[in-house]
Amino acid sequence: MDTFALRTNKLNLYYGDFHALKDVDFQVYSRAITALIGPSGCGKSTLLRCFNRMNDLQDDVRIEGEIYVHDERLEDIDIINLRKKVGMVFQRPNPFPFTVYENMVYGLKVHGMGHRRAWREIVDRCLHSVGLLDELKDKLHTPALELSEEIKQRLCVARLLTVEPEIILLDEPCSALDPIATMRIEELMIELKERYTILIVTHNMQQAARVSDYTGFMLLGDLVEFGETSQIFTSPRDERTEGYITGRYG
Amino acid sequence: MIDRTVLKEHLVKWVLVAFALSSLLFLFLIFIFILAEGLPLFLKVGVNKIIFGMKWAPTKGYFGIFPMIISSFLVTIGALIIGAPLGLSCAIYLSEYAGKRTKMLLKPAIELLAGIPSVVFGFLGVIYIVPLVRSYLGGSGFSLISTSLVLGVMILPTIISISFDALVSVPRTYREGSAAMGATKWQTIYKVIIPSAKSGILASFILGMGRAIGETMAVIMIAGNALKIPTSILDPLRTLTGNIALELAYATGDHRLGLFSTGVVLMVIIMILNYVANFGIKRKIAK
Ligand SMILES: Nc1ncnc2c1ncn2[C@@H]1O[C@H](COP(=O)(O)OP(=O)(O)OP(=O)(O)O)[C@@H](O)[C@H]1O
Ligand SMILES: [Mg+2]
């Protein structure tokens, strides 16, 4: 059975001596939005970054337990293909200091995908997917750093889509954005879930409630509760979850 | 009581201002002095005859420094051809690959390299490089290529430390973004990090050129100091700096003024290089 795009089994992660993830059993359903919520420092980003092995960039990280991408063990997938399959959008929009076009074809170049002549079409299609085609069609050769924060963040999503990922990880993608831009990014996520599996970290509970189908609540490295978003927000089983969503922990 | 502390504060401030301004004053005085000594000959002989003149025989009224201008440029370009790839590679290794311990070993070593007096470089050049060139490539060994080799090593510290600063200041988010797209480390370096640090790297090359064109002692010792435009990399040559240093001790009258004119040309070249380098760095900061 392959309903889970991502799955962990007794996942433990240590930063040196610090035990950041404790026996986490977590699932991400295919073609749905799963949200991870919890107070600051509970390990949301850490868990998210396990799925594309971004923690590997740091030394002194030790991981135990199993992670599966569909039914394949994470260690069995080579890291380049893993990161192609599992894309990531960061907290602060991070387009490269190049033109919009250069940003968009970066992944294609890196993975040697498609013919140079076909790139323009891919770029247009992916910009269209994030609702930027009209906006940027004539600005493909302007520097990406001159765009507004929201457009930059959308561009970062579009940049991912060029390499045809299956799963998109988003780490607080709206925290640098104003409320209107946030709303638009949320709409974008809902559109994208038709074709992609989405895992989003957020400390904004309303956001989790608005966009996600499933929600996991984390506290101090534990995945306290996981279930359908409606259930988590209306009838949480664990009192700590209830405490958090009713606002008892900041 | 209060008055005295206030007074003291003011006094300290003004003393510091005076010291700070004095360095500006020295720069200004040097500038004025060189211009005052160097410009009259330009007016007397003519700018063209000095800058584009082929013959340098100051006691006979010939003040052409064109061969020296070309020679200075040639050794500078030569030094860059050797120093730029080496220095940039070293900076990339230091900023992207080296572990903490290697870094702690290499950084001071590079700073030490910068601190070695140029006469020592010249000495080593004469003892090792010149004979090597002579026996393997021919000629006297006192040549464009020997000079370029030694200067290439001498400008390494400048290129390495400034490129290194430019590379490490590339934001972590770019590296993460690239890695998260599935780029390998080397792809990230040459497709993202180097382009992002481009202006700083270029500035390091230009400041390295400034260092090479201004170098004197090592050059006199290795270049052979012949008064003509070199036609091969094995030919000897004389640079602007070399010309001044070699002749100033015994020059009088117009000859002396001719050396100052050489100095004016040198100063203008170096000012242009510094301006270009600063412009590059500023643009990077503005971004
Ligand atoms: N590189 C690291 N080295 C050591 N400890 C770390 C490292 N990165 C994170 N931690 C610690 O691990 C814990 C979890 O961090 P993580 O970034 O996953 O939290 P988070 O839930 O994403 O918090 P936030 O909402 O603030 O982003 C924190 O206590 C943090 O201090
Ligand atoms: Mg986080």
Side-chain angles (χ1 to χ4, degrees):
Chain A
M1 257 274 294
D2 187 23
T3 46
F4 297 133
L6 297 170
R7 187 158 59 85
T8 70
N9 186 14
K10 294 251 173 302
L11 181 68
N12 283 282
L13 184 143
Y14 303 83
Y15 289 117
D17 295 332
F18 180 72
H19 197 172
L21 295 177
K22 299 168 186 161
D23 280 337
V24 171
D25 295 324
F26 178 62
Q27 301 90 31
V28 176
Y29 287 84
S30 282
R31 309 221 162 170
I33 300 179
T34 303
L36 270 173
I37 58 170
S40 191
C42 65
K44 307 180 294 290
S45 300
T46 303
L47 178 56
L48 188 84
R49 292 162 71 95
C50 284
F51 295 119
N52 66 345
R53 292 180 55 189
M54 280 308 269
N55 292 322
D56 288 19
L57 292 182
Q58 276 156 27
D59 6 283
D60 223 25
V61 175
R62 202 170 85 247
I63 299 174
E64 290 164 3
E66 289 144 22
I67 304 174
Y68 295 92
V69 179
H70 293 291
D71 276 332
E72 219 174 339
R73 285 168 62 100
L74 192 78
E75 309 90 276
D76 295 339
I77 311 174
D78 97 283
I79 191 158
I80 307 279
N81 282 323
L82 173 73
R83 288 180 175 161
K84 181 163 168 262
K85 203 187 281 197
V86 185
M88 180 159 187
V89 175
F90 294 80
Q91 189 163 353
R92 294 207 63 84
N94 61 348
F96 304 123
F98 314 146
T99 63
V100 169
Y101 184 79
E102 286 295 322
N103 269 280
M104 288 298 292
V105 298
Y106 184 73
L108 299 173
K109 278 188 190 166
V110 160
H111 294 287
M113 288 168 72
H115 220 280
R116 213 166 250 275
R117 268 173 284 132
W119 284 359
R120 182 56 202 269
E121 198 184 312
I122 298 173
V123 168
D124 282 359
R125 175 162 48 76
C126 296
L127 285 175
H128 179 73
S129 302
V130 300
L132 278 186
L133 187 57
D134 290 336
E135 173 102 26
L136 293 184
K137 193 167 54 203
D138 304 320
K139 291 196 201 162
L140 286 179
H141 298 287
T142 53
L145 296 188
E146 286 173 10
L147 304 170
S148 75
E149 290 296 295
E150 182 212 338
I151 307 284
K152 277 189 209 162
Q153 195 63 300
R154 280 172 183 268
L155 182 66
C156 290
V157 178
R159 181 172 72 179
L160 278 188
L161 300 186
T162 57
V163 299
E164 295 158 20
E166 290 168 35
I167 301 158
I168 300 176
L169 311 173
L170 302 110
D171 193 349
E172 302 190 24
C174 301
S175 61
L177 305 181
D178 63 51
I180 292 174
T182 299
M183 198 183 74
R184 295 214 205 98
I185 297 280
E186 287 175 5
E187 283 165 5
L188 171 63
M189 283 190 277
I190 291 170
E191 273 167 39
L192 289 178
K193 83 170 176 184
E194 311 255 306
R195 281 172 292 146
Y196 303 94
T197 301
I198 294 178
L199 173 59
I200 174 177
V201 163
T202 174
H203 54 216
N204 177 338
M205 274 181 290
Q206 288 78 22
Q207 183 169 65
R210 276 192 303 262
V211 300
S212 69
D213 304 297
Y214 300 91
T215 297
F217 168 63
M218 293 185 71
L219 191 62
L220 300 173
D222 276 315
L223 181 68
V224 173
E225 188 167 349
F226 176 79
E228 290 192 16
T229 299
S230 51
Q231 176 257 312
I232 296 275
F233 279 91
T234 53
S235 50
R237 278 187 283 268
D238 194 293
E239 61 181 25
R240 288 170 294 175
T241 315
E242 187 177 359
Y244 182 71
I245 61 176
T246 54
R248 237 184 293 149
Y249 312 86
Chain B
M1 195 62 199
I2 288 168
D3 272 354
R4 271 184 62 186
T5 38
V6 171
L7 200 71
K8 217 167 108 189
E9 289 291 313
H10 274 286
L11 196 71
V12 168
K13 186 181 148 199
W14 285 113
V15 169
L16 290 176
V17 167
F19 279 134
L21 288 182
S22 67
S23 60
L24 210 65
L25 184 74
F26 290 139
L27 185 70
F28 185 71
L29 284 179
I30 291 170
F31 196 72
I32 292 295
F33 184 67
I34 293 180
L35 282 186
E37 297 274 340
L39 282 186
L41 197 74
F42 277 107
L43 298 178
K44 189 168 146 194
V45 182
V47 174
N48 254 345
K49 281 201 173 139
I50 294 182
I51 292 184
F52 295 108
M54 295 299 288
K55 188 170 173 191
W56 171 263
T59 45
K60 298 193 189 84
Y62 294 103
F63 297 95
I65 59 171
F66 191 65
M68 300 170 210
I69 295 178
I70 296 298
S71 298
S72 276
F73 271 110
L74 287 176
V75 290
T76 303
I77 298 299
L80 203 62
I81 289 173
I82 289 153
L86 218 62
L88 181 59
S89 316
C90 187
I92 291 171
Y93 172 74
L94 274 178
S95 77
E96 309 300 321
Y97 290 95
K100 273 205 190 86
R101 210 176 297 156
T102 333
K103 232 180 264 188
M104 255 156 52
L105 203 75
L106 275 176
K107 282 282 269 179
I110 289 159
E111 275 149 30
L112 201 64
L113 191 65
I116 294 176
S118 58
V119 66
V120 174
F121 279 104
F123 188 54
L124 293 176
V126 171
I127 303 268
Y128 295 106
I129 309 285
V130 169
L132 223 63
V133 169
R134 186 190 304 136
S135 47
Y136 286 97
L137 298 174
S140 69
F142 294 95
S143 58
L144 172 57
I145 188 164
S146 312
T147 315
S148 298
L149 272 168
V150 172
L151 283 179
V153 174
M154 290 179 75
I155 64 175
L156 280 180
T158 310
I159 293 182
I160 294 171
S161 66
I162 295 170
S163 297
F164 175 82
D165 289 345
L167 290 169
V168 293
S169 63
V170 172
R172 222 177 77 128
T173 56
Y174 295 170
R175 295 160 206 267
E176 284 190 331
S178 175
M181 294 286 297
T184 61
K185 186 160 184 172
W186 176 239
Q187 284 174 327
T188 301
I189 290 172
Y190 86 84
K191 290 195 159 120
V192 176
I193 299 178
I194 293 178
S196 306
K198 191 174 53 194
S199 45
I201 293 170
L202 285 179
S204 83
F205 292 169
I206 291 165
L207 290 172
M209 285 172 74
R211 174 94 219 272
I213 212 166
E215 177 49 44
T216 313
M217 197 58 203
V219 172
I220 306 178
M221 294 168 78
I222 310 164
N225 305 312
L227 277 167
K228 64 181 185 67
I229 298 178
T231 50
S232 101
I233 54 169
L234 299 175
D235 278 356
L237 44 75
R238 180 187 292 202
T239 62
L240 292 165
T241 52
N243 191 43
I244 300 174
L246 286 166
E247 300 190 358
L248 192 62
Y250 61 86
T252 52
D254 277 357
H255 185 186
R256 212 174 88 96
L257 293 184
L259 296 180
F260 272 104
S261 306
T262 314
V264 171
V265 172
L266 188 65
M267 200 168 68
V268 169
I269 294 172
I270 287 177
M271 268 164 46
I272 292 172
L273 286 178
N274 267 302
Y275 175 78
V276 173
N278 278 329
F279 184 67
I281 292 170
K282 285 228 181 69
R283 241 190 22 181
K284 182 185 139 227
I285 290 167
K287 268 190 179 172

